[in-house]
Amino acid sequence: MTNDKTGVQLNLGHTSTDDYITRKYVLPLLKDEKTRNRLIEEHRACPVGKAPAPHKGQPMVEHSKDLQTVLDKLRRQPMTGKYITICKEAFKDYRIGVCSGVRGKPVKILEESFSSEEACEHAIFLKRIVNLLEKYKE
């Protein structure tokens, strides 16, 4: 009898499906420079989306289907090494944190400071795109 882990224990079903979705739907959007730049600009304009303001008659701001596809992929990343927003001082100092993936272990906080949560979220978005393209470099 061996102590080898099963495919279920290794989460191979999810990993294979996620890899297929990434290659089929996400990478074509990011590898095309024109599309990638369009998505980056759309995200820069509204990194976190906006809720509707019905009393003011303002509609909710939704991301395009293409940007939502990319964001969904980026948000599915494992916690180990995942970038998150850290608020050091509200409305003044936001930083990028890197998760350890170990419960109770502190988040590593990067030095670069951003004056708004939106700017920090966009910087994280850019880092995640670079990492994803690097991972799937062919």
Side-chain angles (χ1 to χ4, degrees):
M1 187 165 110
T2 66
N3 290 332
D4 294 338
K5 290 187 176 185
T6 66
V8 172
Q9 290 170 319
L10 295 171
N11 205 16
L12 293 180
H14 168 76
T15 303
S16 296
T17 302
D18 186 61
D19 183 63
Y20 173 79
I21 290 168
T22 301
R23 290 178 188 278
K24 174 99 173 150
Y25 301 106
V26 179
L27 290 178
L29 296 171
L30 296 177
K31 287 188 173 183
D32 179 71
E33 186 177 358
K34 185 176 179 181
T35 304
R36 182 178 63 245
N37 289 336
R38 177 179 54 83
L39 295 175
I40 289 171
E41 285 310 310
E42 179 184 348
H43 188 270
R44 183 187 326 274
C46 189
V48 292
K50 296 196 187 299
H55 62 283
K56 295 183 179 179
Q58 296 174 343
M60 177 172 66
V61 175
E62 294 185 24
H63 295 126
S64 68
K65 183 177 183 267
D66 287 346
L67 180 55
Q68 193 59 54
T69 299
V70 172
L71 289 172
D72 287 346
K73 166 59 186 172
L74 298 177
R75 291 174 180 150
R76 284 194 307 267
Q77 298 304 301
M79 287 306 292
T80 303
K82 189 172 192 173
Y83 298 116
I84 59 171
T85 300
I86 303 290
C87 177
K88 296 280 282 181
E89 187 177 348
F91 307 106
K92 290 185 181 180
D93 186 9
Y94 296 86
R95 308 278 176 96
I96 296 174
V98 183
C99 292
S100 69
V102 178
R103 188 177 189 151
K105 188 172 179 184
V107 171
K108 177 183 175 188
I109 300 175
L110 304 182
E111 288 297 316
E112 187 176 8
S113 177
F114 301 91
S115 60
S116 70
E117 182 177 2
E118 291 79 11
C120 188
E121 287 289 333
H122 186 66
I124 289 171
F125 176 73
L126 295 175
K127 284 181 172 295
R128 287 178 176 171
I129 286 176
V130 167
N131 289 353
L132 184 65
L133 289 173
E134 186 64 32
K135 179 180 177 180
Y136 283 90
K137 189 184 253 184
E138 294 172 351

